[in-house]
Amino acid sequence: MAESEIFVSLTSKLPELEASIGSVLRGKAEVVRLSLVCLLARGHLLIEDVPGVGKTTLAHALSRSVNCGFQRVQCTSDMLPGDILGVTIYNAKTGAFEFKPGPVFTNFLLADEINRATPKTQSALLEVMNERQISIDGRTLKMADPFLVIATQNPVEHHGTYPLPESQLDRFLMRLRIGYPDAASEREIVRNHRSGMEAAVSTVLSPDELIGLQGAVEEIRVDDALVDYMLAIVEATRRHESLSLGVSPRAAQSLYRAAQALAALEAREYVLPDDIKRLAGPVFAHRVVLHQRAALSARGGDAAERILDEILSRVEVPL
């Protein structure tokens, strides 16, 4: 089979996958598409918004669309790292200590309201998100493949939240905000709402099919001029007068992989400049840190996105 035929075969289920998730998250086609970009790029997804707009619904729909293991953790201020990773307990019958795996040993881990957990508990996910393994009791344990952390969080100004540190934010490939639906979609949600709506999501992919798709995404062509374009945007975030912290090399890698995944979702075997411009905000905005003066003068929670839009308008687009 020719290389292009293999690509078409692997990506033929993507429209069905997108439609399945879109059936429960009404009127949010762009959010659905970007969440699938994150899935295909082997990245972790952070969904930030006010309560009740569908953060957990989207996370459930993503996990149900693939026939993989799924675990959900409801983060609270009294949660301990062992509640996520697992604990070693003494077995009186055998006279030995036994490790009891935590919910992290799955394919899809939903950390609901992650910023309600304390920093100590949040840090339990740092190693597993970066290296897909945990080190515990002198042992290193690998995660299953595929492995994806989907975290939801409320805006930091809400009561009882602990802001995620920069090192953890950098491990999320993308941050999405769902927002309120338009009037027509909200009318449909109100009329057709039923408990457990996300359970109606159909399983579209097997684990092997998802792994095959992720491998195909890595073969999407990215021209050298586009790599230079990405790096020019990255460098501009490090020099911008309103930012005290620009994006990291890990963020540049994330943008590269996300652009490949978006091209695959749009049935292309090559990346376009518009892919990079479209993804720069979701991939970079949660990673940059505003100078104190810029943060104080910022209105609303999208100051980082506005700065990135300004940077994109300045950086020359390759022909």
Side-chain angles (χ1 to χ4, degrees):
M1 188 181 291
E3 183 177 333
S4 59
E5 292 175 339
I6 295 173
F7 176 80
V8 171
S9 175
L10 284 169
T11 57
S12 61
K13 289 190 174 182
L14 291 179
E16 182 184 354
L17 180 65
E18 194 167 8
S20 177
I21 298 172
S23 68
V24 297
L25 195 71
R26 307 292 176 86
K28 296 295 177 181
E30 180 70 1
V31 172
V32 171
R33 173 150 293 197
L34 292 180
S35 67
L36 290 178
V37 165
C38 197
L39 176 67
L40 295 179
R42 302 181 192 268
H44 304 295
L45 178 62
L46 178 63
I47 310 170
E48 178 186 283
D49 220 316
V50 296
V53 295
K55 300 188 300 296
T56 305
T57 297
L58 174 58
H60 271 292
L62 274 172
S63 64
R64 291 177 186 274
S65 65
V66 184
N67 188 23
C68 287
F70 172 76
Q71 293 285 346
R72 178 178 184 266
V73 175
Q74 179 62 54
C75 296
T76 57
S77 59
D78 60 349
M79 177 179 286
L80 298 174
D83 296 327
I84 298 176
L85 303 181
V87 295
T88 300
I89 61 175
Y90 179 73
N91 188 327
K93 291 184 178 179
T94 63
F97 287 93
E98 297 178 356
F99 177 68
K100 300 295 183 182
V104 75
F105 288 90
T106 187
N107 298 111
F108 287 81
L109 175 67
L110 169 58
D112 216 356
E113 296 188 299
I114 188 173
N115 60 338
R116 292 199 183 279
T118 61
K120 180 179 181 179
T121 302
Q122 291 175 13
S123 66
L125 290 170
L126 289 175
E127 181 184 12
V128 73
M129 291 177 67
N130 192 52
E131 301 173 37
R132 286 171 165 77
Q133 67 178 36
I134 66 167
S135 300
I136 191 166
D137 293 336
R139 295 181 295 168
T140 298
L141 304 173
K142 297 286 186 180
M143 296 297 106
D145 192 22
F147 177 73
L148 172 69
V149 174
I150 307 170
T152 70
Q153 72 168 0
N154 297 319
V156 293
E157 62 268 16
H158 281 225
H159 292 295
T161 59
Y162 301 85
L164 297 180
E166 290 82 1
S167 59
Q168 187 149 24
L169 287 171
D170 200 35
R171 283 163 167 77
F172 287 102
L173 184 141
M174 190 179 294
R175 180 188 66 185
L176 297 180
R177 289 179 175 139
I178 296 177
Y180 294 114
D182 57 53
S185 297
E186 192 159 16
R187 184 181 297 110
E188 188 177 0
I189 292 168
V190 171
R191 284 189 177 275
N192 299 324
H193 174 74
R194 60 186 178 85
S195 180
M197 188 176 178
E198 64 273 8
V201 176
S202 57
T203 298
V204 178
L205 297 176
S206 69
D208 288 342
E209 287 174 323
L210 176 57
I211 293 169
L213 277 169
Q214 291 172 335
V217 162
E218 293 174 355
E219 301 302 318
I220 297 290
R221 296 194 303 273
V222 185
D223 191 82
D224 287 343
L226 292 182
V227 176
D228 292 338
Y229 179 50
M230 293 183 202
L231 295 178
I233 297 169
V234 167
E235 181 60 26
T237 67
R238 298 169 183 170
R239 293 185 285 102
H240 197 280
E241 61 275 7
S242 295
L243 299 178
S244 61
L245 180 67
V247 298
S248 66
R250 183 193 284 126
Q253 291 177 325
S254 296
L255 181 58
Y256 184 96
R257 299 200 316 270
Q260 290 177 306
L262 181 57
L265 274 166
E266 300 192 345
R268 285 184 276 108
E269 297 181 57
Y270 53 87
V271 171
L272 297 172
D274 282 347
D275 297 332
I276 297 167
K277 295 176 72 174
R278 183 174 171 184
L279 292 165
V283 175
F284 286 169
H286 62 290
R287 291 175 154 103
V288 299
V289 176
L290 275 64
H291 276 299
Q292 186 175 10
R293 184 176 64 256
L296 290 173
S297 62
R299 295 181 180 178
D302 59 351
E305 285 86 348
R306 292 198 299 270
I307 291 171
L308 286 168
D309 287 341
E310 177 192 334
I311 289 172
L312 290 171
S313 69
R314 292 180 182 179
V315 178
E316 184 178 356
V317 180
L319 299 176

